[in-house]
Structures are given as C-alpha cells and as structure tokens.
Amino acid sequence: MKKTYLYILVALAALTVVSCAKEEVVLPNEEPQEEQLSPFAEGELFVKFAPEVVDTIEEQALTRSGALTRSGVPTVDEILELIDGYELERVFPVDAMNEERTREAGLNRWYVVRFGAEHSAEEVALRLQKLGEVQKIDFNRTIKRAYTGKATPLTMEQLQRMTAPATRGVAMNDPLLRMQWNMINDGSLHTQGDVAKFIKDSDVQVEQAWERSMGDESVIVAVLDEGVCFDHPDLKDNMWINPAEIFNSHKDNDGNGYAGDYYGYNFVTDSGVISTDAFADSGHGSHVAGVISATNNNGIGISSIAGGDGQKGGVKIMSCQIFSGNVGSNGLAVVRAIKYAADNGAVVLQCSWGYVSGSANIYDWGAQGFASQEAWEAGAPLEKEALDYFTHTAGSPNGPIDGGIAVFAAGNESANMAGYPGASEDYVSVAATAADFTAAVYTNYGLGVRISAPGGDQDYYYDYIDPANNHGTVGCILSTLPLTVSTSGYGYMEGTSMACPHVSGVVALGISYAAQQRRHFKADELKEMLYATATPIDSYQAGMKRYARYTAEIGTTQPMQMDLNGYRGKMGNGQANAAAFLAAIDGQGVELVFPNLYIAMGGISVVSPARYFEGGDEMTYTVSIENTEVASFRRMEQVFYFQGLKTGSTKATVTASNGASQEFVITVRRAADDNGWL
C-alpha cells in the first residue's frame, strides 16, 4: 500500500438505512468489517432533538449542577433511564457572541448522549430513532492516520548544504526557495536522465501573483490537523492570536466556550495547549502551515504562497488541532473545530483528511467509505451541518468574502473518486501532481475532484538525489517542521494532503487581494473563479508513467508503471494558478464601503476603517456620530470600538486624513451583533 500523508476518518464499509417517521437515520451494518477496529466510539451518540423539546433540556441544564443526567422530556428519559449512567452535553459549547447564529443554524440542538458500556451504540440508536423528539442521530466516528511514519527531515548539516542565496527572479531572500519547485518551477532541478521530470511553470504560479498581493493579515486560515508549531522561526510571525485570550490560561477569558485558546485550540485534549511533541507526531500540521504562510523574505528557510513579504505580514494560521501522535481523534473534535474556525474569524478551512473513498481497494484499506453525496449526507449529518455552518456563516457581508471555503485532500488510494467530505459538491477537493503536471502515482482522481496542485511524487523521482543526499525527495514538498521532528525545522512530505494547502494558500491569497482592493465576493463566486482560472493539464496525462521506490536497505525496487491516459479529464479543472486567479479578481466583485452597524445595547462592534478606503493603511481616521445618546466610540490605534448605549438609530460619518469620507448608520437594539442577527 502506498504510504503517503493523509489522515483518514475510518468509516463503515457497509451502511444500512433504517427509516423512521420523520427522517432516515443511517445505522451501521452489524456484520464485522475486516481490519475495522472501533470505527466509531461506543458508549455515546450524537442526537439532534426537535426544536420543541430543546427548551426543556436547556431548562434542565440551568437547574442542575454538573453533568446533565435527565433531559426533562418524559419519552426521552423513559428510554434513557434503561441505560445505566447516561448523561447529556451540548456538542457545541455556548459562545455568547455567536449563540444567535448557532441557534439559527440549529446546531444548539445537537447533544452528545453518553451511556453505559453494556449497551452498544447501535442498540441505543435504534431505540432513540423511534422517538418523535429525536430528529437525527450520528455516530462519533474514529479518526486514524493513514500513515504512521514521519517526514523526511533535514539535519542542520544537510540544511547548510542546501542553503544558498535565492536565485529566482523575485525579490525573495529565502534560501530554500530554489528547492521549492512547487512555488516556482523553472525546470532547473532537471539534472538527471533523459525524461524531463521538471517542467517550467508546473507550479502554482505565485511569482506573478506576488506582484498583486503577498498575503494580508486580515485573512485567517484554520488548519485542522496536528498542532502547528507556533514558535517556529518561519511561522511565529504569521500565527493567529486570539486577542481576548491569555497564553497558557486555564480560564475561558473571552467567553467563547474554550479556555486558553490563544493560537487556536487542541480539540484532542480539550485544552488551549497546542502540541507538536506527542509520540509519533509527524509534523504534518506545521508542514501544511508552512506551505500556506511561512514568513516570506525573512532571510531564513522557505517561501510560502501567502506569507507576506517580511516587512508586512501574511495570512494568519489558526491551529485547530484534531490529531496528536497515535492518539485517535474523533468526529466530536472535528465538528467542534469546524465551528470554532467559523466563529473566530477563519474564512478558509484547510483539511488534509477525509474518509477512505467509496472506490478504495478493500485489500489495501480494509473498507470503503461513502460512495455518493446522498450516502455521506445521510450517514454523517452532524458533520454536514457543521461544514454548512462554516461555508454559510464564515466571513462577513462587510468583508472581502461572505461565507467560507473548505479545502480537502482528495485521498491517496489511487482510487477513481475523491473521499468525502471533500468529494461533496460544496467543497474543494484537491488531487496531487508531480513537477511535470502528471498525476502523482498515489493520487485519487475522477468523481468529486475539483482541482489539482503539487503534492510531490517521491517514487517517480527515485533516481534524483538532492543536495542533502536524499533519494527522490527533491520531487516532494519542502516545508516547515517542528524541531521535535527535524533538528533544522524543515523537511519533505508528499501526498494529496500536501496538494491541499497549496489550494488553501492560493484561495487565501485571492481573498487577501480582494481585501487590499476593497472588493467583496460571495464564497461560491471565488470558488468558481478558482476553477475557471486553473491551468489545463490534460495534455500531460498521456502515455505510461514509470516509477519505483528507493530504500536505503535494498536500493531501487522493481520498476512499475501507471497509464496516465486514465487520468485525462479526471484531475478536476486543472492545476491551481494563483496569478490567473488574482488577475480574475481584479476589478470584479462589489466595492467595500464602511458598513452599517447593528449593536446590542451595551454591546461592542469593532471596525478597522483602513479596509474601506484606498490607501487605507497610510491614513488616520476620525468619526462623528449625530446622536451620541444612541452610541459612542473610542479609538485604539487604527481600530474603532463602537458601543450601543440606547435603542434607536443614528447617522455617523468616518473621515480619512486625505479628506475622503463615508456615511453609515448605527442601529442599537436589545439583542443584536455586528452581523445584523436580531
């Protein structure tokens, strides 16, 4: 089995639909599956209750201390009392700032129901699905890594041999850029053999894109992965920081339901401590983060797609840790991470994980996952609702993007369909290419794949040796790693999970450019532009691709080959092209203007005026409010804090130091937030 880097959600090989009066609930087949150990957690279920009973459950929570052991709904309790030691907990903690839209989306009605070990999850699900008060049931699926190895790290000695002044035609002084064919491929790494395995421009075209934008600090990418090494020299300046939290605090200082979430949150350990040093950690989260937003032009390490220019920061990385070493994660961690990302400002969801595809080779993978959109939606309803929440509510109608974009790895099974959730029509599923536009030997392709990007292909480059004397890794992706994995802080990985952050980075760079141009887009508009501007690569999917594997113990293994003709028309819309994507954004969308504000009485709305004026970062601003009894404001540097004082509306004006001004309206009501939810 090809061992490449992707995390898989261990799904059930067979699913049976059990019908009920209100909605179909998907339950697992009772037949044991080969190599399917604990595909979902026993002793608990996710249950979505009907709207009319949630108030009763919430009243019970208010009148009891500790765990909620009764729902207060007679029919529910009648069944659950038969299950020894059960308790209920809201799937998503209360976040006062986002509770209104949480309830609007119905996510407040999802509960974790825990029960005694003598009752199977299937048994309890069958009992609960008969109740009219229960709308949906889901299983807490186990998440396991598809690969137990680590990256190919660079030692300090190897790093020194590879380090040299940047020779690319851009104003970058990152010494490892010359080894990053995925960023700028000028064909110069083609030094061996008769076959051109490095083709000029078979990259993501960042060099021309950087002429428009190198990233913007207002754009946040949530990395759902292993923890990101937040103090890495090439990452620390572009880490997202929760300004209302305290590093290493054990308290929830900002009231968002998560204690100490300074750089993000560790959903594996349910703490604010982001970790990268657990046994068997691969460094994967830091590696994908480096592709997206390692600090550019800082004189060390690598370049990234949207990492700024050394003087001005790039897009911010929010670490949503859902994996830690060999500790199995689960669906609860995943859905909480997805909602957390939306509620805390992320607009791109970087997801190098997914279910094994519905076309996976059972001999290699032990099972097959969901084979259709309908099967996935029915079998993973909570996951679908959490992702819908992100794609619909992330961003802002007053910012560069309204909605969020979720980017997934297509899978590493050489299967002719992508794995879910990424294969869903609502998300971006990414296949992997080598440095000559050909499909990587391991990549999934076909149904559900939307776009391609460089993912590396070590077996294809088995006869290439990089300056560090590593066989084949020159054809992989070089990026950042924690010092616990690599003494130099850098190393190689490959997989569709490496292709995935290239697309996340390109999307984030496009949103950055839209922000800098003061343009507004719907998330779906940007997705369509991403697809429409991709580089066509079908002409490269022709003939036989020969590859082999090199190991230090036995050298080169038996040569193999794949028929590229079968990949033609099945690598999505082509390869992501940052330059063309940003060019398409230029002058499109809707102009951003200073927004009308909706504020709760006593509440605060925070606005940075610079994004709404041309040359905004270079100017200062003043605000005048007609009726100061309705609202007040204070300024901290270039940020305005408006506070609601009295119900009503008032006109206001913001004026820039160059004389340009914009009028807006402040509306204060008893319950509102700055997104207008009432």
Side-chain angles (χ1 to χ4, degrees):
M1 176 172 59
K2 175 65 179 174
K3 296 186 186 299
T4 44
Y5 290 83
L6 174 71
Y7 295 98
I8 58 171
L9 281 73
V10 180
L12 302 173
L15 299 170
T16 301
V17 177
V18 179
S19 62
C20 57
K22 51 209 171 305
E23 185 165 338
E24 292 184 334
V25 178
V26 176
L27 301 176
N29 192 307
E30 294 181 358
E31 296 180 4
Q33 305 301 324
E34 182 181 3
E35 300 182 21
Q36 282 294 113
L37 301 177
S38 186
F40 54 85
E42 288 290 358
E44 60 187 22
L45 288 170
F46 301 138
V47 177
K48 186 176 186 180
F49 291 101
E52 58 269 19
V53 301
V54 169
D55 288 345
T56 302
I57 298 175
E58 291 176 344
E59 287 173 6
Q60 286 288 108
L62 291 173
T63 58
R64 292 174 180 266
S65 60
L68 184 62
T69 58
R70 291 294 181 270
S71 71
V73 181
T75 53
V76 174
D77 288 338
E78 183 178 349
I79 288 179
L80 294 181
E81 282 172 1
L82 300 175
I83 304 166
D84 183 45
Y86 86 86
E87 63 181 43
L88 290 87
E89 175 193 3
R90 250 182 64 152
V91 168
F92 302 104
V94 174
D95 175 357
M97 289 293 293
N98 294 284
E99 182 64 10
E100 189 68 29
R101 67 180 190 176
T102 299
R103 302 178 82 84
E104 182 77 13
L107 292 183
N108 66 303
R109 296 193 278 122
W110 279 100
Y111 279 76
V112 184
V113 178
R114 298 187 174 94
F115 42 87
E118 66 273 21
H119 301 276
S120 71
E122 298 100 313
E123 175 190 350
V124 177
L126 285 168
R127 291 184 180 183
L128 289 175
Q129 62 94 19
K130 298 175 182 178
L131 299 179
E133 293 87 351
V134 172
Q135 284 197 335
K136 296 180 182 179
I137 297 174
D138 203 350
F139 295 87
N140 191 4
R141 291 174 177 81
T142 302
I143 304 172
K144 294 183 179 180
R145 301 197 309 175
Y147 181 66
T148 57
K150 292 188 176 182
T152 301
L154 296 178
T155 65
M156 289 300 298
E157 181 183 2
Q158 290 174 326
L159 180 66
Q160 290 169 1
R161 290 205 304 268
M162 294 177 65
T163 298
T167 57
R168 306 295 191 180
V170 294
M172 288 287 190
N173 60 11
D174 303 305
L176 293 178
L177 176 58
R178 68 191 184 96
M179 302 302 297
Q180 292 182 272
W181 59 266
N182 48 308
M183 297 292 169
I184 303 176
N185 191 343
D186 59 10
S188 64
L189 290 176
H190 173 54
T191 58
Q192 298 170 240
D194 298 325
V195 178
K197 292 185 178 180
F198 290 88
I199 294 179
K200 188 177 185 300
D201 293 332
S202 57
D203 47 43
V204 290
Q205 296 293 298
V206 293
E207 188 171 9
Q208 287 182 309
W210 285 337
E211 295 174 4
R212 285 184 163 86
S213 177
M214 297 188 71
D216 190 273
E217 294 180 342
S218 68
V219 178
I220 302 170
V221 179
V223 174
L224 275 65
D225 209 295
E226 287 183 7
V228 176
C229 185
F230 53 80
D231 56 356
H232 191 289
D234 230 357
L235 294 173
K236 62 181 182 179
D237 290 339
N238 285 340
M239 289 299 300
W240 172 78
I241 291 175
N242 183 351
E245 259 301 344
I246 299 171
F247 182 62
N248 276 343
S249 174
H250 297 290
K251 293 182 179 180
D252 180 11
N253 296 283
D254 59 353
N256 70 348
Y258 297 96
D261 55 319
Y262 190 71
Y263 294 109
Y265 198 73
N266 187 334
F267 294 90
V268 180
T269 61
D270 193 21
S271 76
V273 180
I274 304 297
S275 68
T276 59
D277 58 356
F279 178 75
D281 265 354
S282 67
H284 196 282
S286 302
H287 203 271
V288 301
V291 172
I292 298 167
S293 196
T295 304
N296 287 327
N297 208 32
N298 62 347
I300 62 171
I302 63 166
S303 296
S304 69
I305 294 172
D309 65 359
Q311 302 300 316
K312 189 174 181 180
V315 305
K316 297 301 184 182
I317 297 295
M318 175 190 290
S319 183
C320 295
Q321 186 171 356
I322 59 172
F323 301 104
S324 181
N326 284 332
V327 177
S329 191
N330 56 51
L332 183 61
V334 169
V335 297
R336 283 179 169 171
I338 292 168
K339 187 176 185 295
Y340 176 92
D343 287 344
N344 289 278
V347 291
V348 180
L349 207 63
Q350 157 58 34
C351 305
S352 285
W353 48 268
Y355 294 99
V356 173
S357 78
S359 295
N361 185 317
I362 295 180
Y363 177 78
D364 285 338
W365 297 93
Q368 291 180 332
F370 298 109
S372 68
Q373 177 90 10
E374 294 74 21
W376 171 67
E377 289 186 9
L382 174 55
E383 184 177 84
K384 175 65 164 59
E385 289 192 25
L387 283 164
D388 282 349
Y389 182 86
F390 180 85
T391 57
H392 295 157
T393 67
S396 167
N398 302 314
I401 181 172
D402 189 358
I405 297 178
V407 185
F408 285 87
N412 301 328
E413 310 142 25
S414 301
N416 63 355
M417 71 171 294
Y420 284 91
S424 169
E425 58 197 12
D426 297 321
Y427 319 126
V428 182
S429 180
V430 188
T433 59
D436 60 357
F437 285 126
T438 60
V441 298
Y442 52 79
T443 189
N444 287 8
Y445 58 99
L447 182 67
V449 171
R450 309 297 173 195
I451 201 165
S452 297
D457 202 346
Q458 186 170 5
D459 291 354
Y460 183 42
Y461 295 91
Y462 66 93
D463 54 344
Y464 283 65
I465 304 175
D466 70 11
N469 202 33
N470 293 311
H471 285 260
T473 53
V474 69
C476 295
I477 305 302
L478 180 62
S479 189
T480 47
L481 289 170
L483 295 180
T484 51
V485 175
S486 170
T487 57
S488 70
Y490 300 91
Y492 292 103
M493 286 186 173
E494 66 168 0
T496 58
S497 61
M498 292 299 106
C500 184
H502 285 80
V503 174
S504 294
V506 169
V507 170
L509 192 64
I511 299 170
S512 297
Y513 186 54
Q516 292 161 357
Q517 293 295 301
R518 306 181 318 282
R519 310 303 295 182
H520 171 79
F521 295 86
K522 298 287 189 183
D524 284 345
E525 292 175 332
L526 287 178
K527 282 196 302 181
E528 290 307 315
M529 294 168 77
L530 175 73
Y531 301 151
T533 56
T535 302
I537 61 174
D538 272 353
S539 62
Y540 297 93
Q541 316 309 320
M544 304 302 292
K545 179 171 179 174
R546 292 172 173 79
Y547 63 98
R549 186 173 302 163
Y550 175 87
T551 63
E553 294 79 10
I554 62 176
T556 303
T557 60
Q558 179 68 33
M560 304 178 70
Q561 62 183 18
M562 61 184 283
D563 186 357
L564 287 170
N565 296 289
Y567 292 76
R568 193 176 302 140
K570 298 180 180 179
M571 296 292 286
N573 292 274
Q575 184 144 301
N577 185 320
F581 181 45
L582 268 63
I585 289 171
D586 211 353
Q588 300 301 309
V590 178
E591 183 180 6
L592 284 174
V593 295
F594 200 91
N596 294 325
L597 303 179
Y598 298 84
I599 313 174
M601 188 131 70
I604 300 289
S605 182
V606 183
V607 185
S608 175
R611 69 166 60 181
Y612 304 107
F613 289 84
E614 186 174 359
D617 290 333
E618 310 301 323
M619 297 186 292
T620 58
Y621 303 88
T622 59
V623 168
S624 62
I625 299 175
E626 285 189 6
N627 187 347
T628 55
E629 292 184 355
V630 171
S632 64
F633 80 95
R634 60 187 174 91
R635 180 175 60 201
M636 292 183 63
E637 297 181 347
Q638 289 287 71
V639 177
F640 287 130
Y641 294 78
F642 295 87
Q643 183 172 20
L645 303 178
K646 176 183 176 182
T647 58
S649 295
T650 180
K651 292 182 179 180
T653 303
V654 57
T655 304
S657 55
N658 69 350
S661 65
Q662 296 184 39
E663 292 185 349
F664 61 102
V665 175
I666 303 173
T667 302
V668 179
R669 298 189 180 178
R670 294 187 182 279
D673 62 29
D674 58 6
N675 287 314
W677 291 91
L678 302 178

